[in-house]
């Protein structure tokens, strides 16, 4: 690659990263201003940020961004850094199955379902598959399809349908239920007003992950998320029916808000019920009102006008633009339909506050509700506009005209005549009768029918004629996405299933700030340590590597921001770890440059050949680690995915900076005839002529490893592990007392209260504890949460001193089993993938087997150490998701080291005279020639991990300890086990494919 292209790439990537990171600085400034303005008042701070949502806060000249847009592009902080609430919702498929079968009383059906529910808690098999298998096992004569062949399901299932048809039907309905629940939860969260929420379906499961940073009202969140979706159909008022009322509200507000001043326009009492139901009686009054609006030439702009241009003294109309437009003759006319006004998203809270005032509520008719549209739209030049609808209630309870449980099916389709997106809807017999009545009245009165879910309007289509039979279509100015969403909403009534919280984590803001401080400190100290070592060992070349490290961190943060990644505490740990591994490629290059210098080559040739010959090892070692990160990303969740994301991106940016940035620096130095040095006198000969007899002494290493494995397996079998709450289920709390407390005393009190064994561990300082209880582990309801919390407080209060609950986490037994199984699969899959990659790259099974032996050895030793040291060391050594991330990282690093030796071995075996040398001697040379690189790279990683362990904070101390110890073990196995294993697995025979058959036979086997 030419120097010009490299420079161009560096400049482009740098500008792109700078652009991505800049949004974070902009949003932080706005939020800092909000905090200063609110002075500790959270409601005031939120109101400030809401008001800034649509304001331009970032102007690049060629592009402008509002605060909301900038917020969407920032590098967000995870809950463990910012505080907040993390919830996993599970859709109740058992409830769905029962409802789709009309709640049958059949004993075999209900027994099969109960057994399936019980088994689902200890297996990853879907509940639907378990249920169908269990029903078949009962030997019942009644076909399973007969239960689901109801009137509502007639289009999908008949009594004679096969079991495969039933399975397909249930899976489809389950997917519909999950998608609909996602839509409902998304809308509810948006209404809650959480900044930067994250909600995503966990693919392949019936779960939805929700992250709500900065939340401090957990009880309200639980109620909001777990409520059943409520789909309703309402008749509406026409805008013409309501305009007089809205004007009266506006004038009443003007009077009451400025009671100390003479009102510019007196509020005239009107018969609002008549105004709402008889538009003809108010025509003259409306003409007068419209003429007032028409006097302002700039006020009208199709269906939306700039509310700020309306005359003073209009508190409501200044933020809620009436639905008026300019007619053909230039006169102002009322807009059609049920929309009575438009407001900027940031002003909706103020409109709601006006409408909730006692003097305003008293003049709004009892049969009228004013509801907002589900999502904002852009009208004319104004963005983020919400429509306000006038809804007509009916009956004694002022309820809807119809409810959504009459819907039997809804599909997004295309109109065969216009080819535009539409929604088709079918109803049951009762629904068809009600729909005919409602549409007949709507067509006669020329009003709309609003589709309302959870109190917001999804659509309010007009009705042209009476609709009989219950089959109808809804058309409008829809996009394909709009019709998909509306079809899902209409299915809400047909899928009466609930979503319950099965996993929950709450992190207080104070703990989040501690995590941020710890993470930043460890990152800064880690950079300093790595830089100091590189300069001390590699002289001027170390300076080039340090410049690459700085660029690497910059690029890493920029890429994370561009991907809208969430930065978590394990993510910061990944950044710190990346700093240590970032120099790995440079070490490979520099060690190779030393070898080329020893051959007497010119410095330009040294640089060229150093990069050229180091490239295969660099790519192989980094790709294997990247594959482990990829597996971790797809099998982990939450913070672990954050760590995996950081690790993978860090590998890519490390390769880019190590290969291109340092090469540019060296090329510049060569062009200026500057001296390039890759060592000091003291470090020049370190391990340079190493000639240790690794093959000859391999059996000693085998014995040491065997003893360590036996001890580890014995400890695991006898003592076992301390499992984290995400592996065993239950609830865990982080407690902080104002004075030091004895963990044993707290445990005894809690055991007495809970009536079960409680796990209490010191968490960092002696006044901070981690409490885990299995009390009510099977219960995930709000009542159970409150009971556990009440008993916890009862037990904690018996210990002298004030305390604070910093964080809490709840994991149901089903999801704990799922997480544990996925962790096992991830570990096995990692070893298999690594072995497969090595087999493809090196074409000999002995290489794959050697790498597999080393990685399995490392995993067993690390597991054994966690079992042996648990309860001995003064920090948590729980086996949880963080440990899985650590052990997979160690496996990746172990192979990273091993592959470098393998690459050198392959290089030696490709030489023309390789067959003349004994394979044992060749392997020994490969290990010794890469020994310097192995030791130096391990030292840099150990340095940063030691910093992370000491300064990274208690939350990730066990995590950093696992990687720290694992790196030491992995370094040992890559030197003493992996390559020597190839010797024994090949029977001491030559592996070089280039050797001639007759020469292979003559090769002597000499053990060095």
């Amino acid at each position: 690659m030419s120097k010009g292209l490299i420079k161009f790439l560096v400049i482009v990537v740098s500008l792109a990263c700078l652009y991505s990171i800049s949004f974070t600085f902009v949003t932080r400034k706005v939020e800092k201003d909000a905090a200063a303005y609110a002075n500790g008042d959270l409601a005031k701070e939120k109101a400030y940020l809401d008001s800034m949502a649509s304001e331009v806060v970032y102007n690049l000249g060629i592009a402008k961004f509002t605060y909301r847009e900038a917020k969407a592009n920032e590098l967000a902080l995870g809950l463990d850094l910012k505080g907040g609430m993390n919830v996993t919702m599970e859709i109740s498929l058992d409830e769905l199955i029962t409802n789709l079968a009309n709640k049958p009383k059949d004993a075999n059906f209900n027994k099969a379902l109960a057994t399936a529910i019980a088994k689902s808690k200890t297996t990853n098999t879907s509940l639907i598959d378990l249920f169908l298998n269990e029903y078949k096992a009962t030997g019942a004569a009644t076909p399973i399809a007969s239960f689901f062949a109801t009137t509502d399901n007639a289009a999908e299932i008949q009594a004679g349908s096969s079991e495969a048809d039933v399975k397909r039907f249930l899976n489809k309905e389950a997917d519909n239920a999950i998608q609909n629940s996602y839509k409902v939860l998304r809308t509810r969260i948006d209404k809650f007003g959480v900044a930067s929420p994250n909600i995503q379906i966990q693919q392949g499961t019936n779960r939805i992950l929700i992250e709500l940073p900065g939340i401090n009202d957990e009880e309200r969140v639980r109620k909001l998320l777990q409520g059943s979706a409520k789909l309703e159909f309402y008749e509406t008022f026409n805008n013409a029916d309501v305009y007089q009322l809205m004007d009266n509200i506006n004038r009443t507000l003007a009077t009451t808000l400025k009671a100390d001043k003479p009102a510019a326009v007196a509020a005239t009492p009107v018969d609002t019920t008549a105004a709402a139901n008889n538009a003809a009686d108010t025509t003259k009054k409306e003409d007068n009102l419209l003429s007032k609006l028409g006097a302002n030439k700039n006020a009208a702009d199709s269906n939306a006008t700039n509310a700020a241009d309306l005359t003073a003294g209009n508190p409501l109309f200044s933020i809620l633009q009436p639905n008026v437009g300019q007619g053909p003759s230039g006169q102002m006319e009322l807009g059609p339909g049920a929309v009575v006004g438009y407001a900027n998203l940031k002003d909706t809270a103020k409109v709601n506050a006006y409408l909730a005032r006692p003097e305003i509520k008293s003049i709004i008719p009892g049969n009228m509700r004013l509801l907002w549209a589900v999502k904002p739209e852009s009208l004319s030049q104004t963005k983020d506009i919400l429509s306000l609808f006038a809804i007509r209630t009916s009956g004694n309870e002022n309820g809807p005209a119809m409810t959504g449980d009459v819907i039997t099916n809804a599909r997004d389709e295309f109109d065969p005549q216009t080819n535009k997106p539409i929604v088709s809807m079918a109803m049951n017999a009762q629904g068809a009768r009600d729909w005919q009545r409602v549409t007949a009245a709507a067509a006669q009165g020329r009003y709309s029918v609003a589709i309302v879910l959870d109190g917001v309007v999804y659509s309010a289509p007009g009705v042209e004629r009476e609709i009989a039979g219950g089959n109808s279509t809804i058309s409008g100015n829809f996009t394909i996405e709009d019709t998909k969403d509306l079809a899902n909403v209409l299915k809400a009534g047909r899928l009466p299933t609930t979503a319950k919280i099965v996993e929950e984590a709450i992190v207080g803001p104070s703990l989040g700030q501690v995590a941020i401080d710890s993470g930043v400190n460890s990152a800064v100290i880690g950079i300093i340590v790595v830089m100091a070592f590189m300069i001390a060992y590699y002289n001027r070349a170390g300076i080039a590597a340090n410049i690459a490290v700085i660029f690497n961190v910059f690029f890493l943060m920029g890429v994370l921001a561009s991907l809208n990644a969430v930065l978590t505490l394990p993510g910061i740990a990944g950044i710190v770890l990346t700093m240590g591994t970032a120099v790995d490629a440079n070490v490979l290059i520099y060690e190779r440059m030393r070898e080329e210098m020893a051959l007497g080559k010119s410095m330009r040739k040294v640089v060229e050949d150093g990069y050229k010959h180091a490239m295969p090892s660099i790519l192989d070692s980094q790709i294997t680690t990247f594959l482990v990160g990829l597996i971790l990303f797809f099998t982990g969740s939450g913070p672990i995915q954050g760590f995996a994301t950081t690790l993978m991106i860090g590998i890519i940016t490390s390769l880019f900076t190590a290969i291109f940035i340092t090469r540019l620096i060296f090329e510049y130095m060569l062009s200026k005839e500057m001296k390039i040095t890759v060592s000091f006198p003291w470090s020049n000969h370190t391990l340079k002529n190493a000639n240790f007899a690794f093959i000859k002494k391999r059996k000693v290493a085998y014995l040491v490893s065997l003893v360590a494995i036996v001890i580890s397996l014995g400890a695991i079998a006898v003592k076992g592990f301390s499992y984290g709450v995400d592996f065993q289920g239950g609830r865990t709390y982080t407690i902080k007392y104002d004075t030091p407390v004895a963990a044993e005393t707290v445990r005894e009190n809690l055991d007495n209260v809970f009536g079960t064994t409680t796990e209490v561990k010191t968490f960092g300082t002696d006044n901070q504890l981690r409490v885990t209880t299995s009390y009510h582990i099977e219960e995930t309801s709000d009542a159970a949460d409150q009971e556990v919390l009440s008993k916890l407080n009862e037990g904690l209060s018996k210990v002298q001193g004030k305390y604070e609950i910093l964080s809490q986490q709840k994991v149901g037994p089903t999801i704990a089993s799922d997480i544990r199984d996925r962790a096992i699969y991830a570990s096995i899959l990692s070893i298999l993938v690594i072995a497969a990659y090595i087999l493809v790259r090196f074409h000999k099974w002995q290489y794959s087997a050697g790498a597999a032996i080393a990685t399995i050895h490392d995993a067993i030793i690390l597991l054994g150490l966690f079992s042996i040291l648990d309860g001995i060391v003064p920090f948590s050594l729980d086996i949880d998701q963080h440990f899985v991330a650590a052990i997979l990282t160690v496996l990746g690093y172990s192979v990273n080291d091993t592959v470098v030796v393998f690459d050198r071995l392959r290089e030696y075996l490709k030489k023309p005279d390789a067959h003349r040398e004994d394979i044992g001697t060749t392997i020994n040379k490969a290990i010794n020639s890469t020994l310097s690189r192995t030791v130096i790279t391990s030292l840099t990683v150990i340095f940063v991990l030691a910093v992370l362990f000491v300064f990274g904070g208690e939350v990730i101390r066990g995590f950093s300890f696992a990687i720290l110890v694992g790196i030491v073990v992995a370094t040992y196995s890559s030197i003493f086990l992996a390559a020597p294993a190839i010797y024994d697995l090949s029977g001491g025979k030559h592996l070089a494919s280039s050797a001639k058959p007759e020469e292979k036979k003559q090769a002597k086997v000499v053990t060095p």
Side-chain angles (χ1 to χ4, degrees), residues 418-440:
T418 64
N419 202 36
K420 290 184 177 181
I422 60 171
V423 174
S424 64
M425 178 174 62
M427 299 181 177
N428 60 24
Q430 180 60 48
R433 289 191 292 271
D434 292 341
W435 190 239
Q436 184 173 0
R437 171 182 52 80
V438 170
T439 54

Side-chain angles (χ1 to χ4, degrees), residues 34-35 38-50 214-217 509:
N39 195 25
D41 187 334
L42 295 179
K44 199 172 180 182
E45 183 176 341
K46 182 182 180 300
Y48 181 96
L49 293 175
D50 286 344
I215 213 72
N216 56 10
D217 191 349

